[in-house]
Amino acid sequence: MAIFIFSCSVSDDSSPQFYNEFLPIESTTLPEQFRLGDTYDITLTYIRPSTCYAFNNIYNKEQGNEITLAVVANVAYQTDNCETVNEEMETSFNFTANHNGSYVFKLWQGENTYLIVEVPVVE
């Protein structure tokens, strides 16, 4: 009986396996200023390199008024049927300006490179 239980596998080895990868942010739509307490729709533009990349989420690390952003993709590996597309894609999120002063957005563009945009907050 024990041999029967351990000889069966519940995993399906034919399904593709995925890993996460950051994709550089090409551009964003940030307003010139935020009004304290208002919510804004922020759009991020990135390049999808191939059909093996699928949007997962937005990496968002906040430290005070500094916000680091990157696009996170699921990438299928061990597949031979990926097509290169270099397709421009967009994703967005809601942002509420809850602090006075300015927000500094650090948009990851690869390696240790960031596009830095400062947006002041007005009342």
Side-chain angles (χ1 to χ4, degrees):
M1 180 70 141
I3 294 172
F4 175 73
I5 292 172
F6 291 111
S7 67
C8 295
S9 173
V10 292
S11 67
D12 179 7
D13 291 338
S14 66
S15 65
Q17 300 296 313
F18 295 92
Y19 62 93
N20 289 329
E21 183 176 309
F22 284 164
L23 295 179
I25 296 172
E26 299 292 318
S27 64
T28 185
T29 57
L30 286 166
E32 290 189 23
Q33 64 184 23
F34 292 126
R35 183 166 304 282
L36 187 62
D38 285 357
T39 300
Y40 299 84
D41 185 46
I42 308 297
T43 301
L44 305 174
T45 303
Y46 64 97
I47 302 297
R48 178 179 166 223
S50 77
T51 56
C52 285
Y53 286 73
F55 176 79
N56 180 320
N57 62 27
I58 297 172
Y59 172 84
N60 181 345
K61 180 180 176 187
E62 293 188 35
Q63 291 182 318
N65 284 19
E66 184 177 284
I67 301 168
T68 303
L69 298 170
V71 171
V72 181
N74 285 336
V75 184
Y77 65 90
Q78 297 180 351
T79 59
D80 295 330
N81 56 350
C82 298
E83 293 179 30
T84 300
V85 290
N86 289 321
E87 179 179 25
E88 187 173 280
M89 305 290 288
E90 290 185 345
T91 188
S92 63
F93 66 99
N94 288 329
F95 175 78
T96 303
N98 292 321
H99 301 287
N100 289 318
S102 294
Y103 281 93
V104 176
F105 289 88
K106 294 175 65 179
L107 308 169
W108 188 77
Q109 296 194 305
E111 307 264 338
N112 290 322
T113 305
Y114 295 88
L115 171 62
I116 298 175
V117 180
E118 186 171 352
V119 181
V121 177
V122 298
E123 292 186 33

